[in-house]
Amino acid sequence: MALAVGVVGPEDLVQRVTAVGGPNGTTLVPLPYRHETEAVDLVRQAHGDVDAFLFTGVVPYTIATEAGAIDRPAMYVSYDGATLLRALVELLRLGHNVTQFSIDTLRRSEVLETLIEAKLPTDRIHVLPYRPGLTSDDIVAFHRSAHDKHDTKVAITCLGSAYHLIENEMPSVRLAPSRYSIRSTLQALVLTTTGQHVGDAQVALGIVDLPEPDDALAADLITLGGSLAALPDGRHLVVTTRGLLEQATEQFTRMPLLDHLASRHSTAYVGFGVGRTAAEAEALARRAVSRAASIGSVAGVVSMSDDVEIVIEPSGEQPVSMRGPESLPLLARRVGLNTQTLARMRELTAALPDGLTTQDVADHLAVQLRTARRVLKRLERAGLAAPTGTQQHGRTGRPPTIYLIRL
């Protein structure tokens, strides 16, 4: 599958990424900016031209994410310890003191670990880890303060706009992602995007069980872009694709069809099955509609081949995910997890608000990785979890995905 990936970042780093090149069949579309605040407009303007976005750093990625501009797979290239070590070697070659410096964006633990491995002192190192909302002005102020108050000899920054403001004031160096980090992130992004596209084409079959005939049902199903047929037992069969079903249900979080049916019938049960084949989708749909009938007078269930089952009820005033802490039992019922598991996930989210991995979930819940993946998958299908990047620091192989959980 030929994919187009938009590369968002300052011009020199965009050129660095495009020079590395993407996997076979992937086209890299340069989307350079002069300042990271332009990232939002660039992403929105390029929506019709690319299948995914690769950001050259966490700053533009976070800005675009918080603005709600990203609606397709997106990742950022992280700056790891190896990137820092390469910069320190270059500084040494130029005669700079690398035992007294200030550095932004990287995590303090990662900086100290890199220095310890290089057998360098760490007591005069000042670190400003990146956090959402941190601006270029904040970063510049940090380096100036470290230079004036702590006599740091070098400023190391990951942000181009900050570098251009301090390079004439003090010895400064700007980190750039390694070719390895670029290549591995691109491969992970292409795999994620390809998998999503394949998933969009999966067969989705729905079974609608109503107490009496309904001439308005076909009109209610227009948004699914599929076909409607009568089953021998009096129920209705809906044929569509996973992509259209996700769109019509807002990523499996709401089902307007249920509201329409509830206004006309005393009971209404809707079950959708999503599978790799029509036979698998039909079996899952029959299981889903039976589950819906056990929930209440009007309910919908979406069942998938990876053991994911999502319960959707009439929307009422607002979606379940917006009802606050008191809705935890109802939320657990809709997602298909027990309340205790969801409560433990809320604890973990509070401890790791910037994102967590499958391993984090497995450790916190004391379960195997495959069970942790199933929990995250159910939350993602319910619109309560979203992949935001990858954790690549000091790792080999495919980097674990970082998920942002909203509970």
Side-chain angles (χ1 to χ4, degrees):
M1 176 183 294
L3 296 176
V5 175
V7 182
V8 183
E11 186 170 3
D12 58 336
L13 294 188
V14 169
Q15 291 176 351
R16 185 181 183 88
V17 171
T18 55
V20 170
N24 291 339
T26 302
T27 300
L28 300 183
V29 180
L31 299 172
Y33 57 64
R34 289 170 295 180
H35 193 277
E36 60 272 6
T37 54
E38 300 171 11
V40 173
D41 288 338
L42 281 174
V43 168
R44 286 173 174 161
Q45 292 167 9
H47 270 184
D49 303 320
V50 302
D51 302 292
F53 290 102
L54 178 70
F55 293 82
T56 61
V58 64
V59 177
Y61 171 84
T62 303
I63 290 173
T65 300
E66 291 187 333
I70 302 176
D71 65 350
R72 61 204 59 203
M75 294 182 182
Y76 64 87
V77 184
S78 63
Y79 294 70
D80 53 19
T83 302
L84 171 59
L85 190 59
R86 188 174 66 250
L88 294 177
V89 170
E90 179 63 17
L91 287 169
L92 280 171
R93 188 182 68 81
L94 296 174
H96 291 290
N97 182 350
V98 297
T99 65
Q100 297 174 240
F101 65 82
S102 56
I103 180 169
D104 60 65
T105 303
L106 274 68
R107 293 177 299 179
R108 180 175 177 79
S109 60
E110 186 174 36
V111 172
L112 297 184
E113 182 180 343
T114 300
L115 295 176
I116 291 171
E117 289 182 354
K119 294 182 168 49
L120 292 171
T122 61
D123 56 324
R124 303 194 68 180
I125 306 303
H126 300 271
V127 184
L128 178 66
Y130 181 74
R131 62 180 186 277
L134 198 67
T135 67
S136 177
D137 290 340
D138 296 329
I139 291 175
V140 170
F142 159 73
H143 287 294
R144 286 173 175 164
S145 176
H147 181 68
D148 296 339
K149 296 180 180 179
H150 305 289
D151 194 31
T152 52
K153 305 303 181 183
V154 181
I156 302 175
T157 181
C158 297
L159 195 62
S161 58
Y163 173 74
H164 294 310
L165 290 173
I166 61 176
E167 62 176 328
N168 295 323
E169 301 178 19
M170 63 190 83
S172 306
V173 64
R174 178 179 164 216
L175 292 185
S178 65
R179 292 176 63 88
Y180 170 79
S181 293
I182 293 171
R183 189 177 296 111
S184 61
T185 307
L186 268 170
Q187 290 172 344
L189 179 58
V190 169
L191 284 172
T192 299
T193 308
T194 302
Q196 185 175 98
H197 282 200
V198 171
D200 284 348
Q202 282 185 311
V203 178
L205 294 183
I207 295 177
V208 181
D209 189 353
L210 301 174
E212 61 267 338
D214 189 335
D215 295 335
L217 180 59
D220 291 339
L221 295 170
I222 287 177
T223 56
L224 288 173
S227 57
L228 179 66
L231 292 172
D233 58 6
R235 297 188 293 185
H236 307 273
L237 177 68
V238 183
V239 182
T240 184
T241 65
R242 174 175 177 163
L244 290 171
L245 180 60
E246 283 190 351
Q247 182 178 347
T249 58
E250 298 181 22
Q251 304 298 313
F252 305 127
T253 61
R254 306 179 71 176
M255 192 179 289
L257 170 64
L258 289 176
D259 297 318
H260 300 158
L261 295 178
S263 68
R264 301 193 299 265
H265 301 281
S266 57
T267 62
Y269 309 121
V270 179
F272 276 97
V274 179
R276 289 173 286 270
T277 66
E280 181 183 31
E282 182 180 359
L284 290 170
R286 292 186 182 279
R287 185 181 79 182
V289 76
S290 296
R291 171 74 194 282
S294 69
I295 293 173
S297 58
V298 179
V301 173
V302 179
S303 293
M304 303 184 192
S305 56
D306 49 1
D307 197 30
V308 170
E309 192 171 80
I310 302 169
V311 177
I312 306 175
E313 295 179 279
S315 59
E317 293 299 321
Q318 51 183 326
V320 173
S321 60
M322 297 297 289
R323 292 177 191 165
E326 71 280 2
S327 68
L328 194 61
L330 184 59
L331 195 60
R333 183 178 170 189
R334 179 170 70 87
V335 175
L337 296 171
N338 64 54
T339 305
Q340 183 178 5
T341 298
L342 212 55
R344 295 292 308 280
M345 286 299 299
R346 178 174 283 172
E347 294 173 359
L348 181 60
T349 302
L352 300 172
D354 295 331
L356 49 84
T357 66
T358 304
Q359 187 64 60
D360 294 326
V361 175
D363 292 343
H364 189 71
L365 299 182
V367 297
Q368 295 183 345
L369 281 173
R370 66 172 177 267
T371 302
R373 278 192 288 270
R374 188 176 301 120
V375 169
L376 284 171
K377 185 63 69 175
R378 291 194 177 200
L379 291 172
E380 184 180 357
R381 297 300 185 210
L384 302 173
T388 62
T390 57
Q391 190 180 79
Q392 301 187 31
H393 310 292
R395 297 177 181 271
T396 58
R398 185 175 180 179
T401 299
I402 299 174
Y403 289 86
L404 185 65
I405 310 296
R406 302 179 183 87
L407 290 176

